Amino acid sequence: MPALALVPGEIVDEFGKRFGSGARAAVYRAPGRVNLIGEHTDYNLGYVLPIALDMACYVAIAPASHACLRIYSRNLDQEFCIAVADLPNAKPTGQWSDYVVGVARELAAIEPCDLYIASDVPAGSGLSSSAALEISAAVALLGGRVMEKVEIAKLGQRAESQFVGMPCGIMDQYAAVFGYSGAALKIDCRSLEHEYVELPSNVRIIAVNSLVKHELGTSAYRERVAECQAAVAAIQKSHPDVKSLRDVTPEHFDTIQDTIPSVPRRRARHVISETQRVVDFSAAARKGDLREMGRLFVTSHRSMQHDYEISCEEIDFLVDSAIELPGVYGARMTGGGFGGCTVNLVRPEDLETFQQRLAAAYQERYGKMPAFYECKPAAGAGRA
Ligand code: GLA
């Protein structure tokens, strides 16, 4: 499990080689995240429990004498340029640069500058490389300008939902901004406040990358958002005070579920039970109850698999294989779905066997080697 952490000094050197003004460049960083539990609850205003990662997106920035926002991506070896005067009328291009342009439009009053971007958050893995890009660009473009942290998270979310066109919730941007090296963040997506949940020291959190990303991603996400809204609309017929699925407890849901059409009913059952699982998992983590934490992981996965229908064959294989291995308390898919990563709770002394046996099984079945990342809570966005 190689630690990929990029070195800010190198990025400044590369910035200098590319744009010729390296000495003036400042480097900012925003992390990816792994969500421990609470999937697709954020846009239903429930709870989520991510940790920010040490894998992050780095942005070196310096003012420029041209009239543009000029952005270079080292990962893709591509450059994009737009006159700052054209930002208000910019249209999305469907490319990576949309994330940065979307953020720049939200910030307004951008001065011409060069940005050199390098990220070690694996793209398409469910570890939120896009929020890491949005938030690192936001803090870099803000520079010395002061903005409340929660406003930075919100503007990143707006850039993604309104400009990029992915109707995401707030979790990823919030985790990228508020990440903390000592604990997971239990975020209340209704009040936009969080509390820290320390994790037991005798467990390792391992993300396993299936290296598949099924195309359905954005369209299915949009569909799930709409199905949750349909569930709320059905509930409102008898309970007009319900504004989101967060306002429905599991007990209440049991008494009203027959009034909801079948597909929205299953989506709502996932969301409502999943929000409760975040509460229960946080309580179990604080007590160091690894068995209960693992049980909730698996229940969450089954709920995503059968009720929310956002898993896929490769991910189910990784979960089903992992939970048979010694020292694995639980496993589940993490992130938006249809591929990406699983997250696993593993006893430290069993880590090596876990990795070897899971890799061998996956390779035998799908002909590719999954990637493993040990996830330790890391700090949120800031100067690198
Ligand atoms: C994506 C979205 C988040 C969240 C997760 C699912 O990562 O960006 O807002 O909805 O999916 O939990």
Side-chain angles (χ1 to χ4, degrees):
M1 274 179 269
L4 290 168
L6 291 165
V7 183
E10 277 172 27
I11 295 171
V12 169
D13 288 349
E14 291 172 22
F15 181 101
K17 284 185 202 135
R18 177 145 203 111
F19 297 125
S21 55
R24 287 185 299 143
V27 183
Y28 295 83
R29 157 195 177 279
R33 62 100 189 95
V34 63
N35 189 24
L36 295 182
I37 196 160
E39 226 64 78
H40 289 260
T41 46
D42 59 352
Y43 53 83
N44 290 296
L45 309 189
Y47 290 111
V48 292
L49 191 73
I51 57 179
L53 300 174
D54 51 12
M55 293 187 284
C57 183
Y58 294 80
V59 176
I61 186 167
S65 51
H66 51 65
C68 298
L69 175 67
R70 183 164 61 165
I71 332 163
Y72 174 75
S73 158
R74 182 173 85 173
N75 296 59
L76 298 166
D77 188 22
Q78 283 175 12
E79 189 171 294
F80 179 86
C81 211
I82 179 167
V84 292
D86 292 341
L87 278 169
N89 303 316
K91 297 270 174 291
T93 62
Q95 303 297 312
W96 61 276
S97 48
D98 285 351
Y99 295 97
V100 182
V101 172
V103 163
R105 281 164 50 93
E106 286 290 334
L107 285 169
I110 296 290
E111 297 295 330
C113 55
D114 292 322
L115 275 72
Y116 185 101
I117 301 175
S119 177
D120 59 18
V121 187
S125 61
L127 300 181
S128 211
S129 57
S130 42
L133 172 55
E134 288 149 12
I135 299 301
S136 56
V139 290
L141 289 167
L142 275 166
R145 268 158 82 182
V146 179
M147 184 181 271
E148 289 228 15
K149 281 174 131 189
V150 73
E151 295 305 324
I152 302 177
K154 279 159 79 178
L155 84 82
Q157 181 202 16
R158 281 199 304 275
E160 183 150 349
S161 56
Q162 294 171 17
F163 192 72
V164 177
M166 157 75 177
C168 63
I170 190 81
M171 166 169 65
D172 305 346
Q173 294 80 7
Y174 195 104
V177 170
F178 285 96
Y180 169 59
S181 60
L185 300 175
K186 179 179 167 212
I187 306 168
D188 180 336
C189 299
R190 185 166 61 186
S191 67
L192 295 185
E193 287 166 347
H194 64 268
E195 50 187 67
Y196 295 125
V197 177
E198 267 185 57
L199 302 165
S201 58
N202 54 343
V203 69
R204 298 285 175 269
I205 298 163
I206 310 294
V208 181
N209 193 345
S210 67
L211 305 176
V212 301
K213 191 75 204 160
H214 294 285
E215 271 317 309
L216 285 113
T218 309
S219 61
Y221 192 97
R222 196 180 295 285
E223 231 171 76
R224 296 299 178 278
V225 173
E227 288 160 350
C228 291
Q229 285 162 354
V232 171
I235 297 169
Q236 281 174 338
K237 286 186 187 152
S238 52
H239 296 84
D241 49 322
V242 166
K243 302 280 178 278
S244 69
L245 292 178
R246 167 64 184 279
D247 298 334
V248 183
T249 62
E251 298 72 30
H252 186 195
F253 179 72
D254 282 344
T255 67
I256 56 171
Q257 56 169 315
D258 293 343
T259 64
I260 311 171
S262 132
V263 171
R265 185 197 311 151
R266 281 190 289 125
R267 307 303 189 234
R269 186 164 58 207
H270 164 74
V271 170
I272 292 164
S273 60
E274 183 79 351
T275 274
Q276 184 60 43
R277 278 189 288 274
V278 177
V279 175
D280 296 344
F281 184 94
S282 304
R286 285 177 171 137
K287 279 192 276 179
D289 187 346
L290 287 160
R291 274 184 205 295
E292 176 64 0
M293 291 162 70
R295 188 189 70 75
L296 290 161
F297 256 41
V298 178
T299 318
S300 165
H301 186 74
R302 298 299 172 221
S303 176
M304 291 191 283
Q305 187 179 357
H306 303 300
D307 275 347
Y308 222 62
E309 297 180 287
I310 49 168
S311 188
C312 63
E313 188 195 314
E314 296 88 342
I315 289 287
D316 291 340
F317 179 84
L318 282 175
V319 167
D320 294 340
S321 309
I323 57 180
E324 292 303 322
L325 295 174
V328 176
Y329 296 102
R332 59 181 290 280
M333 187 189 73
T334 184
F338 305 100
C341 285
T342 62
V343 55
N344 302 261
L345 298 175
V346 186
R347 197 161 50 198
E349 53 272 36
D350 291 304
L351 211 54
E352 227 178 279
T353 340
F354 167 76
Q355 195 171 331
Q356 279 164 5
R357 290 179 55 183
L358 195 59
Y362 194 71
Q363 177 144 44
E364 192 189 328
R365 178 70 167 261
Y366 295 106
K368 54 184 146 199
M369 191 64 105
F372 292 79
Y373 318 107
E374 179 160 0
C375 303
K376 293 187 179 145
R383 197 78 190 249

